[in-house]
Amino acid sequence: VTEPDVRDPHAATRAFFGPRARTWDERFPDDAAAFAAAVAALGLRTGDTALDVGCGTGRALPALRAAVGTSGTVVGLDVTPEMVEIARGRGPAVLADAAALPFATSTMHAVLAAGLLHHLADPIGGLRELARVTRPAGRLALFHPIGRAALAARRGHELSADDIRDPANLPDALAATGWRSLAIDDGAHRYLALARRGDGRASGDVRFDGAPARR
Ligand SMILES: C[S@@+](CC[C@H](N)C(=O)[O-])C[C@H]1O[C@@H](n2cnc3c(N)ncnc32)[C@H](O)[C@@H]1O
């Protein structure tokens, strides 16, 4: 059992992802279309503000920028310095913890979290923090460009029934943290869960075609 480092609670994450940052994009060269589809599902409009949390090398930043245009705002955030350094070649990116975001409440029109949730020590707290910074009716996409089972196998383990991303578990986790689950694609080749920040109003139609959220 590895004890968390009290001086740096993210030491294990940084030790894992830091050395992988430089070759990250070479290892996964074919994901651009899947990222573009995930960004499209956020329904961003020109002038919007979007956050890519756990941005890694910033692979989603160009698609997010294209979605919001030059009048919009895009920011990446990651806890691993080597990742942030590379992401900054693609757009603004900050070194910070997803559990304590350096953004004011209700600022984001949409949040993308690609390959992040299962790395968080407290995924429920993480979802709550993502909800805090998201505007009413703003959207969240939990995404990875590979199926859950294939991702688990790549990391040398099997899927567990209590996986928060499991469609049997995620809607309740979202509902408990300020989100309303819209759709979950738990496919063999990608995972894309879409949610809408609760605001007490009925949600709009749910599609994965990038239709703007009703706001
Ligand atoms: C699997 S990688 C995905 C990177 C990128 N989103 C992509 O899809 O290429 C997970 C990323 O989450 C970051 N991460 C893990 N825990 C984090 C936390 N608490 N706050 C912010 N980033 C975190 C890691 O540093 C790593 O860059």
Side-chain angles (χ1 to χ4, degrees):
V1 176
T2 309
E3 292 292 332
D5 185 332
V6 289
R7 291 156 303 172
D8 178 5
H10 305 293
T13 299
R14 289 170 167 154
F16 182 82
F17 285 108
R20 287 169 172 76
R22 200 174 45 80
T23 54
W24 190 259
D25 295 358
E26 290 165 29
R27 283 184 63 205
F28 309 112
D30 302 321
D31 294 340
F35 269 93
V39 168
L42 287 170
L44 284 160
R45 296 191 287 214
T46 302
D48 278 356
T49 299
L51 169 65
D52 180 8
V53 61
C55 66
T57 58
R59 297 195 291 166
L61 296 181
L64 289 169
R65 169 58 64 195
V68 303
T70 51
S71 61
T73 303
V74 171
V75 61
L77 178 145
D78 203 284
V79 82
T80 302
E82 294 90 336
M83 288 290 194
V84 171
E85 198 182 317
I86 295 173
R88 284 181 177 150
R90 292 178 162 136
V94 295
L95 180 66
D97 182 1
L101 295 169
F103 306 115
T105 297
S106 299
T107 44
M108 303 295 167
H109 290 94
V111 175
L112 174 71
L116 174 74
L117 199 60
H118 56 290
H119 289 294
L120 297 183
D122 174 12
I124 292 289
L127 287 174
R128 194 172 288 123
E129 179 65 350
L130 297 183
R132 182 187 67 76
V133 302
T134 304
R135 299 161 68 107
R139 279 192 177 186
L140 169 69
L142 305 172
F143 168 67
H144 39 77
I146 176 173
R148 267 193 317 130
L151 182 57
R154 184 193 281 170
R155 299 173 66 221
H157 45 75
E158 289 178 9
L159 285 178
S160 99
D162 60 4
D163 181 349
I164 190 171
R165 296 163 297 169
D166 190 312
N169 304 326
L170 188 67
D172 285 349
L174 288 168
T177 53
W179 299 99
R180 178 189 175 111
S181 179
L182 295 179
I184 304 174
D185 179 357
D186 190 28
H189 302 296
R190 78 161 178 183
Y191 179 85
L192 179 58
L194 198 60
R196 183 176 183 274
R197 181 78 173 93
D199 65 349
R201 290 183 290 156
S203 66
D205 290 342
V206 178
R207 297 189 307 228
F208 276 128
D209 63 359
R214 252 190 245 147
R215 290 174 284 196

